[in-house]
């Protein structure tokens, strides 16, 4: 039986992107929650919850980018030119965030400035990721495998709203993570924030879903045409169940469930995205087969990925195992 390498690579890249959203999402969310916390000691505890793992989380962003380059090079001639500015701003945000993370620990008089850089870098990176997602969903103008649109095609009310949606998603993930990793007054503050964040996130999910279906006939046909709805209906139902579960777990003071249910929300949203655009990798017309590199290139890269990817997954699993448990004020600073 012949292996369909474009499908295999689409699965690998899709997995890498989802793991990145899942892991780097909650540590970007820590920066988004900083404005709600004024205590310097609480802010330090928030940072200490992600200090051992945040840079490892970004490994999967590199994995997704490298996978696209070797397996789907046509994507680089379409998706990147269509989103140069938001992608550059995203990288700038990640740079400021990383620098602030390290330098604020050594600063005294300028710590507030680095806190602002940490907040701004986290917000800029998350917002730009949402803009790129919105640009992808609304479609990119392509001809002969090249981007033929304008430099600001990505700038639209829909893409900007998707940017806000990603900000809320990451903030909710960060809130769930802090409920899991902290205790005392900081944990109580996060519990109070979790309900409003989940409510607003549900509203944003509903608006984006309706906006996509109404504005993009191809997506509407995918969801509602040819009896597909009965197969895809569990996705929105499970979204409602997850949000209900978040409220219930917060009310019952569960510590693990809010974070896991928010991760489940991310998975369901990601599933909805894949349902909406498959088999296109760059909507509305570039499929994974049209964008793929040669068979030999994909096979060569796949051999390396099969060796390296398990090592990356084991390394990340081990770091979470080693640094499991609560983080408290006065614990050893991981910096």
């Amino acid at each position: 039986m012949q292996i369909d390498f474009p499908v295999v690579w689409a699965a690998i890249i899709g997995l890498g992107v989802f793991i990145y959203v899942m892991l780097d999402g909650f540590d970007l969310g820590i920066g988004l929650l900083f404005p709600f916390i004024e205590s310097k000691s609480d802010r330090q505890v928030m940072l200490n919850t992600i200090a051992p793992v945040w840079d490892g989380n970004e490994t999967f962003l590199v994995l997704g980018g490298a996978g696209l380059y070797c397996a789907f090079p046509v994507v680089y001639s379409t998706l990147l030119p269509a989103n140069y500015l938001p992608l550059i701003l995203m990288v700038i945000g990640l740079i400021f965030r990383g620098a602030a993370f390290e330098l604020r620990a050594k600063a005294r008089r300028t710590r507030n400035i680095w806190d602002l850089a940490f907040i701004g870098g986290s917000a800029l990176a998350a917002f730009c990721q949402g803009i790129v997602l919105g640009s992808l969903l609304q479609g990119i103008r392509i001809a002969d495998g090249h981007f033929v649109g304008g430099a600001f095609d990505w700038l639209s009310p829909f893409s900007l709203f998707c940017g806000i949606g990603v900000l809320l998603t990451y903030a909710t993930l960060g809130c769930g993570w802090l409920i899991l990793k902290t205790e005392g007054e900081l944990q109580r503050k996060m519990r109070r924030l979790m309900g409003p964040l989940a409510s607003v996130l549900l509203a944003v999910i509903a608006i984006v879903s309706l906006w996509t279906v109404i504005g993009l006939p191809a997506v509407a046909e995918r969801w509602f045409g040819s009896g597909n709805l009965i197969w895809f209906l569990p996705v929105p139902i499970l979204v409602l169940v997850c949000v209900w579960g978040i409220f219930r777990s917060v009310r019952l003071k569960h510590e693990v469930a809010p974070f896991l249910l928010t991760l489940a929300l991310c998975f369901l949203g990601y599933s909805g995205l894949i349902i909406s655009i498959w088999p296109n990798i760059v909507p509305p017309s570039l499929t994974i087969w049209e964008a793929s590199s040669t068979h030999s290139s994909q096979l060569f890269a796949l051999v390396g990925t099969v060796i390296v990817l398990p090592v990356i997954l084991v390394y990340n699993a081990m770091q979470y195992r080693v640094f499991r448990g609560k983080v408290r004020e006065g614990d050893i600073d991981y910096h």
Side-chain angles (χ1 to χ4, degrees):
M1 183 177 66
Q2 188 174 4
I3 299 174
D4 193 338
F5 283 105
V7 173
V8 172
W9 268 107
I12 292 172
I13 293 170
L15 176 65
V17 171
F18 175 70
I19 294 176
Y20 169 76
V21 169
M22 181 176 66
L23 298 183
D24 208 37
F26 73 75
D27 68 49
L28 283 167
I30 299 298
L32 300 176
L33 293 171
F34 250 45
F36 297 96
I37 305 298
E38 296 181 0
S39 167
K40 292 182 179 179
S41 59
D42 283 346
R43 285 187 171 188
Q44 189 59 54
V45 170
M46 292 167 71
L47 286 177
N48 285 347
T49 66
I50 59 172
V53 299
W54 74 273
D55 49 353
N57 292 344
E58 295 182 348
T59 304
F60 294 95
L61 182 62
V62 178
L63 173 66
L68 276 177
Y69 184 77
C70 69
F72 301 107
V74 178
V75 174
Y76 269 71
S77 64
T78 54
L79 182 62
L80 267 68
N83 292 278
Y84 272 142
L85 185 55
L87 287 171
I88 290 171
L89 290 175
M90 180 193 76
V91 173
I92 291 172
L94 292 174
I95 291 171
F96 268 90
R97 175 177 171 272
F101 195 103
E102 299 296 336
L103 293 175
R104 75 175 299 279
K106 301 170 178 62
R108 293 296 179 263
R109 290 175 295 178
T110 59
R111 176 167 288 192
N112 288 337
I113 295 175
W114 290 115
D115 279 354
L116 289 174
F118 183 67
I119 295 168
S122 300
L124 182 62
F127 186 63
C128 289
Q129 288 175 17
I131 287 176
V132 173
L133 172 62
S135 170
L136 183 69
L137 264 175
Q138 70 187 10
I140 295 172
R141 288 188 284 171
I142 301 170
D144 299 324
H146 296 282
F147 174 61
V148 294
F152 291 94
D153 280 6
W154 54 269
L155 185 59
S156 69
F158 179 73
S159 64
L160 294 176
F161 192 79
C162 287
I164 295 172
V166 170
L167 284 172
L168 283 165
T169 301
Y170 287 175
T172 310
L173 276 171
C175 195
W177 173 256
L178 290 174
I179 291 172
L180 172 67
K181 295 291 288 184
T182 64
E183 58 186 16
E185 182 59 26
L186 178 57
Q187 187 187 60
R188 285 190 288 273
K189 289 178 181 177
M190 291 301 109
R191 282 204 177 103
R192 289 194 293 269
L193 272 175
M194 192 68 182
L197 283 172
S199 299
V200 177
L201 179 58
L202 177 61
V204 169
I205 291 172
I207 293 171
V208 169
S209 300
L210 288 173
W211 199 334
T212 304
V213 169
I214 294 171
L216 303 173
V219 175
E221 176 63 25
R222 171 59 59 86
W223 279 87
F224 299 105
S226 305
N228 290 335
L229 183 61
I230 193 170
W231 300 104
F232 301 150
L233 192 59
V235 174
I237 291 175
L238 288 173
V239 167
L240 294 174
V241 170
C242 286
V243 173
W244 172 82
I246 289 172
F247 278 103
R248 184 174 185 275
S249 62
V250 169
R251 186 176 68 253
L252 296 177
K253 297 184 178 181
H254 293 165
E255 296 189 336
V256 179
F259 182 60
L260 293 181
L261 288 168
T262 309
L263 289 178
L265 269 180
C266 292
F267 174 75
L268 291 168
Y270 197 62
S271 301
L273 170 66
I274 292 174
I275 290 171
S276 298
I277 68 174
W278 180 265
N280 294 322
I281 192 169
V282 180
S285 59
L286 187 64
T287 68
I288 59 172
W289 298 281
E290 293 169 335
S292 65
S293 59
T294 63
H295 178 90
S296 57
S297 297
Q298 291 191 341
L299 177 60
F300 177 79
L302 184 61
V303 172
T305 302
V306 167
I307 297 170
V308 173
L309 184 56
V311 176
I312 296 173
L313 292 173
V314 169
Y315 163 77
N316 276 269
M318 286 299 298
Q319 69 177 357
Y320 282 97
R321 176 175 173 79
V322 169
F323 294 102
R324 67 189 182 276
K326 295 289 185 179
V327 177
R328 302 174 179 88
E329 184 179 352
D331 284 352
I332 297 174
D333 193 341
Y334 296 119
H335 289 91

